Amino acid sequence: MRLLALSGSLRARSSTGAVLRSALDLHQGPATTADIGALPHFNPDLDGEDATPPPPVAALRTAAAAADAILVVSPEYAHGVPGVLKNALDWLVSSGECVDKPVAVITASPFPTGGDHANAQLRETLRMMSAEVVPAACREIPAIGPKTDPATERVTDEATLADLRAALSHLTTGPASAPA
Ligand SMILES: Cc1cc2nc3c(=O)[nH]c(=O)nc-3n(C[C@H](O)[C@H](O)[C@H](O)COP(=O)(O)O)c2cc1C
């Protein structure tokens, strides 16, 4: 199963990036990440039937179309979704690559809440896009800081790694296998 992974953090040594990399290490199959920081701001004028999408948008859409499932990993900013990630999803609304595609939303935060606001908002947006959000594959990871190693840029906490493995299993086997 081919995964497309999107990170909501552009920060170097990002804890979100560590979660994403560890998840991809655990994934038993091909995977790609999209450089959503290169996307222009979404503008419907650039998104019409007669418009040629800017190259980074075309690349994102090609990667999304080629994926069997999508993994979204994100921090939470001001109780919301980072703008760069919402922007990427906006570019995928009308083009339709997410329709009926299994998606996992994983948020991570230094706080006990695990980015619950951003997680709920991302799920809502993806559902509106007709993606197949897989509840059992979604996670809100609290107190992420000490669970990662900045040197390897990976998750080191064994319980979190086991939970990521379980989440990926639910994502790649589909919603029918998982309780809501
Ligand atoms: C502008 C800003 C707003 C933030 N707002 C929240 C928030 O509402 N909830 C939360 O859990 N963390 C919040 N944080 C903390 C981030 O979760 C934290 O910086 C996290 O490490 C960012 O992820 P990263 O390491 O992948 O860049 C905020 C951070 C910044 C810079």
Side-chain angles (χ1 to χ4, degrees):
M1 175 168 279
R2 176 174 293 278
L3 275 191
L4 171 64
L6 305 177
S7 169
S9 176
L10 300 181
R11 196 170 70 85
R13 298 184 167 233
S14 151
S15 52
T16 303
V19 172
L20 186 150
R21 275 185 283 278
S22 288
L24 295 188
D25 290 347
L26 293 165
H27 175 57
Q28 315 269 324
T32 186
T33 53
D35 179 13
I36 63 172
L39 294 167
H41 290 161
F42 176 69
N43 179 345
D45 287 344
L46 304 176
D47 194 37
E49 278 182 15
D50 299 331
T52 302
V57 175
L60 173 67
R61 289 175 174 171
T62 299
D68 300 304
I70 299 177
L71 173 65
V72 176
V73 189
S74 185
E76 174 176 287
Y77 290 158
H79 282 190
V81 178
V84 69
L85 180 55
K86 182 61 164 60
N87 185 56
L89 295 180
D90 287 345
W91 279 114
L92 295 173
V93 170
S94 59
S95 51
E97 293 83 3
C98 294
V99 172
D100 293 336
K101 201 153 280 184
V103 180
V105 175
I106 298 179
T107 50
S109 166
F111 305 118
T113 50
D116 55 348
H117 296 282
N119 198 298
Q121 291 165 25
L122 282 162
R123 291 197 213 189
E124 178 62 24
T125 295
L126 286 156
R127 277 192 214 102
M128 189 275 158
M129 293 166 67
S130 300
E132 184 66 59
V133 176
V134 182
C138 296
R139 294 291 185 278
E140 296 164 358
I141 306 175
I144 187 64
K147 295 174 178 169
T148 63
D149 176 4
T152 59
E153 298 186 74
R154 297 290 191 283
V155 172
T156 48
D157 178 64
E158 288 298 333
T160 304
L161 286 169
D163 199 31
L164 281 176
R165 187 179 287 109
L168 280 173
S169 170
H170 286 303
L171 176 64
T172 53
T173 53
S177 67

